[in-house]
Amino acid sequence: MNTNLAQTLATSNVAEVVVPCPELDQTLSFFVEQLGFRIEMITPADNPNMAIISGYGIRLCLRTGGSGKDIVLRLHSVDRTAQTLQAPNGTTIEITNPNIGVELPELCESLIVTSLNSEASWTIGRAGMRYRDLIPSRLGGVFIASHIHIPNGGPVPDYVHYHRIKFQMIYCKSGWVRVVYEDQGEPFVMNAGDCVLQPPEIRHRVLESSDDLEVIEIGAPAEHETFAEHQITLPTAQLRPDRDFSGQRFVRHIASESPWQPWRYAGFEARNTGIDAATLGYASAMTIRAKKTATMSENKHQHQLMFMFMLSGSAKFAVDNQPDPLVVSSGSSLTLPSSCSYRLEIVSDSTEMLVVEVD
Ligand SMILES: [Fe+2]
């Protein structure tokens, strides 16, 4: 073993991933010159067939004898353009730039009605949490809405984490849940009717829930990354309710402290969660209540997402003047495409809905 290699390997607790290549020269040049890796060791001097390189928090051992085509290397760099490259040895290089904002895929609208009947499909997630998908098509990958049920309360096995998202809110339908958010003070309890807007990348943790907690969670994009946070512990020392997270403020809406106010249709009243102000008009969420026989009808809308969840009561729902309206009741959800004209006639007392619009 030559001295350099011995010195390199004498450093304690280092590791390399072996990346095979048919030849060393071209592949090594690519990693060093195009990607900015640094050479740590190369051997043998007269006709090299192995090199250890480092960069992006990883060490690679480029070694002749084989192809690297089955290997995908993901590099995260704030200085580089997000792109996918092919190294001379066949290895795929995926470069992402975490400073580039979250981009949403192209919206693919459709009318989606779900109901909470015996055929409602629940899937079992981690720790016994039950999930019901309220937008199975995901509108082309743009939005996800889930009805989440935790049957057995107690401490929640969560850790401080954050999401790369453009929009995310959680509405407590029934039961209670104790949560804590970065720079928003001590942990607090969300009760039925309360909701939070989780702005992009806010650190948070779910601590504890009641039995039979039910929440509605809505987010964009439908598939997003969740990162574990290892540095920041919660609660944080500072209280910064006006902190800007990528153009949004955190919202804690407490239903019992929020007055009912007239809504845009006669016979309806709304509790505004404040998400419209906190997102500068990008999204809004309201709890709506209506008297029996009140009717709302709308001819097309302008939003990317128009979503309603029936919290209680029931209504007759018809699109495009269909003669046979559908009865939607507690637990049903409606996702309405912008082209659709619809009519919703409240047919029972104590009807309440969550209405969420995202532009
Ligand atoms: Fe989360």
Side-chain angles (χ1 to χ4, degrees):
M1 187 177 289
N2 71 38
T3 321
N4 284 345
L5 178 59
Q7 281 170 353
T8 302
L9 299 184
T11 314
S12 60
N13 298 327
V14 294
E16 290 110 26
V17 176
V18 174
V19 176
C21 44
E23 49 62 51
L24 189 62
D25 262 12
Q26 270 189 310
T27 302
L28 181 59
S29 305
F30 173 83
F31 275 87
V32 172
E33 286 158 28
Q34 288 204 40
L35 299 180
F37 277 82
R38 186 175 81 171
I39 296 174
E40 300 290 349
M41 185 283 293
I42 188 160
T43 191
D46 57 342
N47 185 19
N49 58 27
M50 183 170 88
I52 294 173
I53 57 175
S54 68
Y56 303 85
I58 193 173
R59 288 162 62 100
L60 303 176
C61 175
L62 303 178
R63 193 160 71 187
T64 56
S67 159
K69 71 176 172 45
D70 293 332
I71 295 175
V72 178
L73 202 57
R74 301 185 65 207
L75 308 180
H76 308 287
S77 167
V78 294
D79 316 311
R80 289 177 182 267
T81 309
Q83 59 184 314
T84 300
L85 302 170
Q86 196 99 45
N89 68 332
T91 294
T92 301
I93 314 292
E94 294 176 0
I95 302 178
T96 66
N97 187 326
N99 278 358
I100 294 173
V102 176
E103 285 171 16
L104 299 179
E106 191 174 342
L107 185 72
C108 182
E109 295 186 293
S110 56
L111 171 65
I112 300 162
V113 181
T114 73
S115 52
L116 186 54
N117 53 25
S118 53
E119 282 138 44
S121 56
W122 291 90
T123 54
I124 309 295
R126 79 187 160 96
M129 289 160 72
R130 302 170 73 227
Y131 282 80
R132 187 177 145 230
D133 193 346
L134 303 178
I135 308 181
S137 80
R138 306 277 197 266
L139 305 188
V142 183
F143 291 103
I144 183 167
S146 309
H147 181 180
I148 304 169
H149 174 211
I150 298 185
N152 303 312
V156 174
D158 197 13
Y159 46 85
V160 180
H161 66 276
Y162 61 99
H163 308 284
R164 252 170 75 78
I165 40 96
K166 199 158 184 183
F167 176 71
Q168 192 173 45
M169 62 166 284
I170 295 171
Y171 185 93
C172 183
K173 177 179 178 289
S174 53
W176 58 262
V177 58
R178 201 158 65 89
V179 288
V180 62
Y181 286 88
E182 180 184 11
D183 291 353
Q184 310 303 321
E186 292 297 312
F188 60 87
V189 169
M190 291 170 67
N191 292 296
D194 296 353
C195 88
V196 287
L197 174 78
Q198 299 188 164
E201 302 195 15
I202 191 170
R203 274 58 174 172
H204 59 279
R205 183 177 175 185
V206 182
L207 299 169
E208 185 185 4
S209 86
S210 67
D211 286 343
D212 282 324
L213 168 71
E214 289 185 56
V215 302
I216 309 300
E217 182 175 320
I218 301 163
E223 282 187 16
H224 53 256
E225 295 150 322
T226 296
F227 293 92
E229 170 61 61
H230 299 297
Q231 308 297 324
I232 298 171
T233 56
L234 298 179
T236 41
Q238 313 95 306
L239 182 63
R240 298 168 66 196
D242 292 327
R243 177 172 164 189
D244 181 292
F245 293 87
S246 303
Q248 299 181 17
R249 265 191 296 112
F250 174 77
V251 171
R252 177 190 175 192
H253 167 73
I254 304 171
S256 62
E257 295 177 4
S258 176
W260 290 100
Q261 294 179 318
W263 197 41
R264 56 177 101 124
Y265 302 102
F268 289 82
E269 289 182 310
R271 267 182 179 148
N272 190 343
T273 61
I275 287 177
D276 50 353
T279 59
L280 303 176
Y282 170 59
S284 89
M286 281 170 286
T287 307
I288 304 298
R289 72 177 179 189
K291 295 190 174 76
K292 193 172 174 180
T293 74
T295 298
M296 62 188 276
S297 63
E298 197 158 37
N299 188 10
K300 300 185 168 76
H301 64 78
Q302 305 286 322
H303 311 292
Q304 296 266 302
L305 177 71
M306 174 77 188
F307 174 84
M308 300 186 204
F309 185 91
M310 298 290 293
L311 297 161
S312 61
S314 52
K316 285 182 182 170
F317 170 72
V319 286
D320 301 329
N321 298 317
Q322 276 178 341
D324 300 319
L326 193 69
V327 174
V328 287
S329 51
S330 179
S332 294
S333 70
L334 303 168
T335 303
L336 303 166
S338 58
S339 58
C340 126
S341 53
Y342 66 91
R343 183 183 154 88
L344 196 69
E345 183 188 342
I346 307 299
V347 294
S348 79
D349 288 322
S350 311
T351 296
E352 285 194 15
M353 295 178 291
L354 169 67
V355 178
V356 177
E357 297 163 341
V358 183
D359 285 352

